[in-house]
Amino acid sequence: MDDRTYASALERLETAIEHADIHPELIERLKKPKAILTVSIPVRMDDGSLRVFEGSRIHHSDLLGPGKGGLRYHPDLDLEEMRKLAFWMTCKCAVLDLPYGGAKGGVAVDPKQLSPSELERLSRGFIARIADFIGPETDIPAPDVYTNARIMGWMMDEYSKVVRHRCPAVITGKPLSLGGSHGRDTATGRGGYICVKELERLHDWNPEEKTVAIHGFGNAGQAIARLLHQDGYRIVAVSDSRGGIHKESGFDVPSIIHHKNHNRELAAVYCEKSVCEAVEARNIGNDELLALDVDILVPAALSGAVTGDNAGDVRAKTIVEIANGPLTTEADAILDEKGVTIVPDILASAGGVTVSYFEWVQNRSGDVWSEEHVNQRLEERMREQFRLVRETAEKHGVPMRTGAYILAMQRLGAAVEAMGTSHFFNENRS
Ligand code: GLU
């Protein structure tokens, strides 16, 4: 089956049903997203011309609470993929036991082609058009691929204008000065890092002996690289959309990040303050990075990076998925067969939405938490849910991914049961 489809994502539920007692009514409910809104957004470009962009927002489920999920800007964005991403958000929020349903959205655009003021007009125009569809009690967007805190700030400001009162809780991942939370910008990477630390504890790993390859060096990839490097893990390869670099003795991660963010290119460098010099390393392609003989592979780019075609080449012993859906179902089966430990995306990439939840809680209570407090709460929640996913997987004799889906389905199923399933209505008929 084509892995870009929504139906392919639902296949994971079928696997969960085979192993656990999940009410069929839940599956029926999850098969169809709750609502989809598509809008056109006319934007006046800097040269005076008009361009009309298309954007959408999908509410997948509100069984456990208001919709939650990112807004992405990407030229290849299509509704089918967004439905899949919204479904994953429903599962991700349920795995982390957050009081949220799932949602996702975005605009089909290459943001790199727009000037900053065109980007601002597009972002404000989009939010004004979906304003009736979102809200702090209905659906709370956040950053995703190629969107960031500044864009969230514009969107919060625009929404506040529409509803005529300041409303920070409508969107998360905002700049600190506009009601954002400490720790949100690095939360997705930190969540993945906490998963690695759990594996380290379980298997008594010595970080210095462990090599790591990171596929995708945006916000999440950089954050996990920095944290693992600080703990002594050897980051031997990183890549972005243009290719990667490999050095068996490991990179000085802060130098690579500094150079990438200042010069917009990935290069093997070592920096003393802002003076960088090249270090010896091999240039590699993305496929080569995915096939490196490393202990831990961290896919941190787009979905579908590892497919049935290249999964056979993967030599990593552990995969920690901090991207959404980096492995296709076919790849997953091949890697399970090989005995690779996979910490699934709906757990490993959930640090971002968890700190989004903390941001929403702070916005609604008027409280401001310190970075230390945020990180501590994130660690507690991720560790607890990691433990429950593992226990569920062990109990049913399945990989962690299926364990995570079973846990999510049990939580969603409890909400369906609470409202009454066919059992209740048949038994109580007068
Ligand atoms: N876009 C992120 C994700 O895919 C974060 C969503 C959020 O914070 O609501 O998990």
Side-chain angles (χ1 to χ4, degrees):
M1 184 178 293
D2 178 358
D3 258 276
R4 282 177 66 84
T5 62
Y6 179 53
S8 74
L10 292 173
E11 273 179 14
R12 313 263 206 213
L13 294 188
E14 307 293 333
T15 324
I17 305 172
E18 280 169 27
H19 296 277
D21 184 18
I22 292 162
H23 201 287
E25 282 185 20
L26 170 64
I27 309 300
E28 282 313 302
R29 277 175 177 260
L30 296 182
K31 275 186 185 162
K32 299 213 174 12
K34 185 187 157 218
I36 301 179
L37 176 67
T38 298
V39 294
S40 58
I41 316 146
V43 176
R44 184 66 58 197
M45 307 303 279
D46 291 348
D47 66 1
S49 66
L50 182 82
R51 268 183 74 186
V52 181
F53 296 89
E54 190 171 285
S56 299
R57 182 75 181 166
I58 298 191
H59 294 171
H60 177 261
S61 160
D62 60 359
L63 269 171
L64 296 178
K68 188 86 193 82
L71 288 173
R72 59 175 59 183
Y73 286 173
H74 199 274
D76 301 332
L77 198 60
D78 64 45
L79 216 52
E80 186 70 6
E81 195 184 11
M82 253 189 293
R83 288 210 291 175
K84 193 174 69 173
L85 291 159
F87 160 72
W88 281 333
M89 284 311 300
T90 297
C91 300
K92 200 188 287 194
C93 293
V95 171
L96 267 290
D97 211 10
L98 302 174
Y100 288 140
K104 202 79 171 199
V107 178
V109 59
D110 181 356
K112 290 180 196 147
Q113 308 283 326
L114 301 188
S115 73
S117 38
E118 288 167 345
L119 196 62
E120 179 179 1
R121 288 195 286 276
L122 172 68
S123 305
R124 288 183 180 275
F126 180 43
I127 235 54
R129 275 163 181 76
I130 63 166
D132 291 336
F133 202 64
I134 59 170
E137 312 282 352
T138 45
D139 173 19
I140 306 119
D144 201 87
V145 173
Y146 296 140
T147 55
N148 56 26
R150 189 187 301 280
I151 294 174
M152 298 303 116
W154 289 329
M155 290 179 166
M156 185 279 285
D157 185 53
E158 193 62 29
Y159 182 84
S160 299
K161 283 183 192 158
V162 173
V163 298
R164 304 193 78 77
H165 63 88
R166 176 84 162 190
C167 191
V170 69
I171 203 156
T172 57
K174 301 178 294 293
L176 274 181
S177 53
L178 296 176
S181 175
H182 287 287
R184 176 61 185 84
D185 53 343
T186 50
T188 306
R190 183 173 287 273
Y193 162 77
I194 294 166
C195 294
V196 175
K197 296 303 276 184
E198 283 304 282
L199 293 172
E200 178 187 310
R201 238 183 298 269
L202 278 166
H203 303 298
D204 213 7
W205 285 350
N206 175 2
E208 263 114 70
E209 287 166 7
K210 296 289 167 193
T211 53
V212 185
I214 299 187
H215 178 251
F217 211 50
N219 169 297
Q222 291 186 12
I224 194 170
R226 198 189 284 277
L227 289 164
L228 290 174
H229 173 78
Q230 267 168 16
D231 281 6
Y233 283 86
R234 221 167 357 121
I235 314 298
V236 298
V238 296
S239 68
D240 64 13
S241 56
R242 283 170 288 186
I245 47 179
H246 177 220
K247 183 172 187 277
E248 202 42 51
S249 58
F251 289 109
D252 180 60
V253 171
S255 297
I256 309 277
I257 293 178
H258 173 87
H259 191 271
K260 161 103 181 154
N261 295 343
H262 283 82
N263 304 293
R264 291 169 172 253
E265 69 166 11
L266 189 60
V269 291
Y270 178 78
C271 310
E272 285 285 351
K273 297 230 162 67
S274 57
V275 183
C276 300
E277 57 184 58
V279 295
E280 209 168 300
R282 226 159 46 87
N283 288 327
I284 54 173
N286 270 299
D287 271 344
E288 211 179 326
L289 180 135
L290 293 168
L292 285 174
D293 188 7
V294 288
D295 295 297
I296 306 167
L297 173 64
V298 181
L302 292 173
S303 62
V306 186
T307 65
D309 292 337
N310 59 356
D313 302 331
V314 171
R315 283 182 288 166
K317 291 143 205 93
T318 300
I319 298 180
V320 178
E321 300 181 331
I322 63 170
N324 287 301
L327 272 52
T328 65
T329 319
E330 223 183 312
D332 208 27
I334 296 172
L335 293 165
D336 273 343
E337 186 68 23
K338 281 205 210 180
V340 178
T341 302
I342 303 170
V343 188
D345 53 354
I346 56 171
L347 172 65
S349 77
V353 70
T354 303
V355 176
S356 275
Y357 165 59
F358 297 158
E359 182 172 328
W360 181 74
V361 168
Q362 291 172 74
N363 291 156
R364 284 156 59 99
S365 66
D367 202 359
V368 177
W369 301 357
S370 68
E371 181 156 4
E372 207 184 2
H373 185 65
V374 169
N375 289 347
Q376 184 202 330
R377 295 279 302 256
L378 174 64
E379 185 175 337
E380 280 164 13
R381 191 174 277 261
M382 294 276 319
R383 286 185 64 182
E384 175 65 3
Q385 302 312 323
F386 183 99
R387 185 180 67 75
L388 289 172
V389 166
R390 273 197 75 246
E391 275 178 17
T392 311
E394 267 167 24
K395 181 170 159 214
H396 295 276
V398 292
M400 276 182 85
R401 186 184 316 280
T402 309
Y405 275 97
I406 294 175
L407 189 62
M409 292 310 120
Q410 283 168 343
R411 287 178 174 151
L412 287 154
V416 170
E417 292 278 355
M419 287 189 276
T421 61
S422 53
H423 299 319
F424 170 80
F425 289 105
N426 286 336
E427 277 164 24
N428 293 284
R429 235 188 327 212
S430 54

Coordinates of all heavy atoms in Angstrom, one line a residue, residues 252-260 263 267-279:
D252 N 32.2 17.9 17.0 CA 31.9 18.8 18.1 C 30.6 19.4 17.7 O 30.5 20.3 16.9 CB 33.0 19.8 18.1 CG 32.7 20.8 19.3 OD1 32.7 20.4 20.4 OD2 32.6 22.0 19.0
V253 N 29.5 18.9 18.3 CA 28.2 19.3 17.9 C 27.9 20.8 18.0 O 27.3 21.4 17.1 CB 27.1 18.5 18.7 CG1 25.7 19.0 18.4 CG2 27.2 17.0 18.2
P254 N 28.2 21.5 19.1 CA 28.0 23.0 19.1 C 28.6 23.7 17.9 O 28.0 24.7 17.4 CB 28.6 23.4 20.5 CG 28.6 22.2 21.3 CD 28.8 21.0 20.4
S255 N 29.8 23.3 17.5 CA 30.4 23.9 16.3 C 29.6 23.8 15.1 O 29.4 24.7 14.3 CB 31.8 23.4 16.1 OG 32.6 23.6 17.1
I256 N 29.1 22.5 14.9 CA 28.3 22.2 13.6 C 27.0 23.0 13.7 O 26.6 23.6 12.6 CB 28.0 20.7 13.6 CG1 29.2 19.8 13.8 CG2 27.2 20.4 12.3 CD1 30.0 19.6 12.6
I257 N 26.4 23.1 14.8 CA 25.1 23.8 14.9 C 25.4 25.3 14.7 O 24.6 26.0 13.9 CB 24.5 23.6 16.3 CG1 24.0 22.2 16.5 CG2 23.3 24.6 16.5 CD1 23.4 21.8 17.8
H258 N 26.4 25.8 15.3 CA 26.8 27.3 15.1 C 26.9 27.6 13.6 O 26.4 28.5 13.1 CB 28.0 27.6 15.9 CG 28.6 29.0 15.7 ND1 28.2 30.0 16.4 CD2 29.4 29.4 14.7 CE1 28.7 31.1 15.9 NE2 29.6 30.8 14.9
H259 N 27.7 26.7 13.0 CA 28.0 27.0 11.6 C 26.7 26.9 10.7 O 26.4 27.7 9.8 CB 29.1 26.0 11.1 CG 29.6 26.4 9.7 ND1 29.0 25.9 8.5 CD2 30.6 27.2 9.3 CE1 29.7 26.4 7.5 NE2 30.7 27.2 8.0
K260 N 25.9 25.9 11.0 CA 24.7 25.6 10.2 C 23.8 26.8 10.3 O 23.2 27.3 9.4 CB 24.1 24.3 10.7 CG 22.6 24.1 10.3 CD 22.4 23.2 9.1 CE 20.9 23.1 8.8 NZ 20.6 22.8 7.5
N263 N 25.5 30.1 8.7 CA 25.9 30.1 7.3 C 24.9 29.3 6.5 O 25.0 29.2 5.3 CB 27.3 29.5 7.1 CG 28.3 30.3 7.9 OD1 28.6 31.4 7.6 ND2 28.8 29.6 8.9
A267 N 28.4 21.8 7.6 CA 29.8 21.6 7.3 C 30.6 21.0 8.5 O 30.2 21.3 9.6 CB 30.5 23.0 6.9
A268 N 31.6 20.3 8.2 CA 32.4 19.6 9.2 C 33.4 20.7 9.7 O 34.4 21.0 9.1 CB 33.1 18.4 8.7
V269 N 33.1 21.3 10.9 CA 33.9 22.4 11.4 C 34.2 22.2 12.9 O 33.4 21.5 13.6 CB 33.3 23.8 11.1 CG1 33.3 24.1 9.7 CG2 31.9 23.8 11.8
Y270 N 35.2 22.9 13.3 CA 35.4 23.1 14.8 C 35.5 24.6 15.0 O 36.3 25.3 14.4 CB 36.6 22.3 15.3 CG 36.9 22.5 16.7 CD1 36.1 21.8 17.7 CD2 37.7 23.5 17.2 CE1 36.2 22.0 19.0 CE2 37.9 23.7 18.6 CZ 37.1 23.0 19.5 OH 37.3 23.2 20.8
C271 N 34.7 25.1 16.0 CA 34.7 26.6 16.2 C 35.2 26.9 17.6 O 34.8 26.3 18.6 CB 33.3 27.1 16.0 SG 32.5 26.7 14.5
E272 N 36.1 27.9 17.7 CA 36.4 28.6 18.9 C 35.7 29.9 18.9 O 36.0 30.7 18.1 CB 37.9 28.8 19.0 CG 38.8 27.6 19.3 CD 38.8 27.1 20.7 OE1 38.2 27.8 21.6 OE2 39.3 26.0 20.9
K273 N 34.7 30.1 19.8 CA 33.8 31.2 19.7 C 33.2 31.3 18.3 O 32.7 30.3 17.8 CB 34.5 32.5 20.1 CG 35.0 32.5 21.6 CD 34.5 33.7 22.4 CE 34.6 33.5 23.8 NZ 36.0 33.3 24.4
S274 N 33.4 32.4 17.6 CA 32.8 32.4 16.2 C 33.8 32.1 15.1 O 33.5 32.2 13.9 CB 32.1 33.7 16.0 OG 33.1 34.8 16.2
V275 N 35.0 31.7 15.5 CA 36.0 31.4 14.4 C 36.0 29.9 14.2 O 36.4 29.1 15.1 CB 37.5 31.9 14.9 CG1 38.4 31.6 13.7 CG2 37.4 33.3 15.2
C276 N 35.6 29.5 13.0 CA 35.5 28.1 12.7 C 36.5 27.7 11.7 O 36.9 28.4 10.7 CB 34.1 27.8 12.1 SG 32.8 28.3 13.2
E277 N 37.1 26.4 11.9 CA 37.9 25.9 10.8 C 37.5 24.5 10.5 O 36.9 23.8 11.3 CB 39.4 25.9 11.3 CG 39.7 25.2 12.5 CD 41.1 25.4 12.9 OE1 41.6 26.5 13.1 OE2 41.8 24.3 13.0
A278 N 37.8 24.1 9.2 CA 37.3 22.8 8.7 C 38.0 21.7 9.4 O 39.2 21.8 9.8 CB 37.5 22.7 7.2
V279 N 37.3 20.6 9.7 CA 37.9 19.4 10.2 C 37.7 18.3 9.2 O 36.8 18.4 8.3 CB 37.3 18.9 11.6 CG1 37.6 19.9 12.7 CG2 35.8 18.6 11.5

